[in-house]
C-alpha cells in the first residue's frame, strides 16, 4: 500500500527543519509515493496485522523526529522487524552512498552498506526476507563450503 505523492514544499520544509537535504533516491521515493507498507500482514478481517516494512510519509517523519535525540545524526525513515530503518545524516553530508542503517535498540545503529534504492530493490526481490542477515560469500567460498575446493 502506498500513499499519494508528497508535495515538494512539504519535503523542503522538512529538510529545513532537520537542516539537512535528504538523499536524492529517498527524496524521489517521497515525491512518488510519500511512504508505504510493503509485505504487510493483513488479518482475515482486513486489518493491519503488522510485519513487513513501513516507510514513513513526510508527516510520519516529523512525528518520529524525537528518535533523532536518542540516536543523534540518524533520521528514522521506517520500521521493519521491530527495528528502525534510518539514514545517517553524516554519511549523506559526506556524500557517502552507503548511508542506510538499521537501528536496534539493544545494539544501536548497524550499517547496511546500502542506499535507499538498493535496499528497497533487495527487500522486494527477497520478498520481505531479512536479506541483510544472509551470509555473504562468493562462488569460490561456496565450492569450499560444499567440499568441492
Amino acid at each position: 500500500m502506498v500513499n499519494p505523492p508528497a508535495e515538494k514544499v512539504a519535503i523542503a520544509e522538512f529538510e529545513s527543519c532537520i537542516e539537512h537535504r535528504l538523499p536524492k533516491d529517498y527524496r524521489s521515493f517521497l515525491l512518488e509515493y510519500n511512504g508505504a507498507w510493503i509485505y504487510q500482514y493483513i488479518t482475515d478481517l482486513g486489518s493491519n496485522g503488522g510485519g513487513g516494512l513501513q516507510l514513513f510519509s513526510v508527516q510520519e517523519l516529523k512525528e518520529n523526529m524525537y528518535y533523532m535525540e536518542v540516536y543523534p545524526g540518524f533520521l528514522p525513515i521506517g520500521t521493519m522487524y521491530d527495528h528502525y530503518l534510518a539514514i545517517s545524516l553524516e554519511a549523506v553530508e559526506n556524500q557517502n552512498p552507503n548511508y542506510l542503517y538499521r537501528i536496534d535498540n539493544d545494539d544501536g545503529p548497524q550499517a547496511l552498506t546500502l542506499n535507499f534504492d538498493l535496499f528497497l530493490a533487495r527487500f522486494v526481490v527477497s520478498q520481505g526476507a531479512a536479506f541483510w542477515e544472509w551470509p555473504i560469500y562468493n562462488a569460490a567460498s561456496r565450492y569450499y563450503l560444499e567440499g568441492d575446493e
Side-chain angles (χ1 to χ4, degrees):
M1 179 176 86
V2 297
N3 299 325
E7 295 181 14
K8 287 182 180 180
V9 172
I11 294 172
E13 287 173 358
F14 180 74
E15 289 174 327
S16 176
C17 180
I18 64 170
E19 299 177 351
H20 288 277
R21 186 151 168 86
L22 296 172
K24 183 179 177 181
D25 56 345
Y26 180 63
R27 196 172 204 283
S28 295
F29 170 80
L30 291 172
L31 286 169
E32 190 161 343
Y33 301 110
N34 194 24
W37 277 97
I38 301 171
Y39 297 120
Q40 168 189 10
Y41 172 71
I42 305 295
T43 67
D44 292 339
L45 300 174
S47 62
N48 175 3
L53 170 66
Q54 177 190 9
L55 295 169
F56 297 150
S57 66
V58 174
Q59 182 59 38
E60 291 165 327
L61 287 170
K62 292 176 186 175
E63 293 167 3
N64 284 277
M65 277 183 49
Y66 62 92
Y67 278 103
M68 290 179 73
E69 295 171 12
V70 177
Y71 296 104
F74 289 92
L75 174 66
I77 63 168
T79 61
M80 60 183 181
Y81 305 111
D82 298 327
H83 299 103
Y84 278 95
L85 183 64
I87 291 172
S88 165
L89 297 172
E90 180 181 345
V92 172
E93 189 174 300
N94 293 329
Q95 299 180 355
N96 179 347
N98 296 311
Y99 60 77
L100 212 54
Y101 282 70
R102 181 175 70 105
I103 297 180
D104 178 334
N105 286 331
D106 294 330
D107 299 327
Q110 299 168 10
L112 293 174
T113 330
L114 298 166
N115 65 11
F116 180 76
D117 274 350
L118 278 173
F119 171 84
L120 190 56
R122 290 179 182 176
F123 191 82
V124 170
V125 167
S126 69
Q127 298 183 12
F131 68 86
W132 53 91
E133 294 177 353
W134 295 350
I136 299 172
Y137 58 92
N138 57 28
S141 60
R142 178 175 180 214
Y143 293 131
Y144 175 78
L145 292 171
E146 292 176 354
D148 292 335
E149 299 180 87

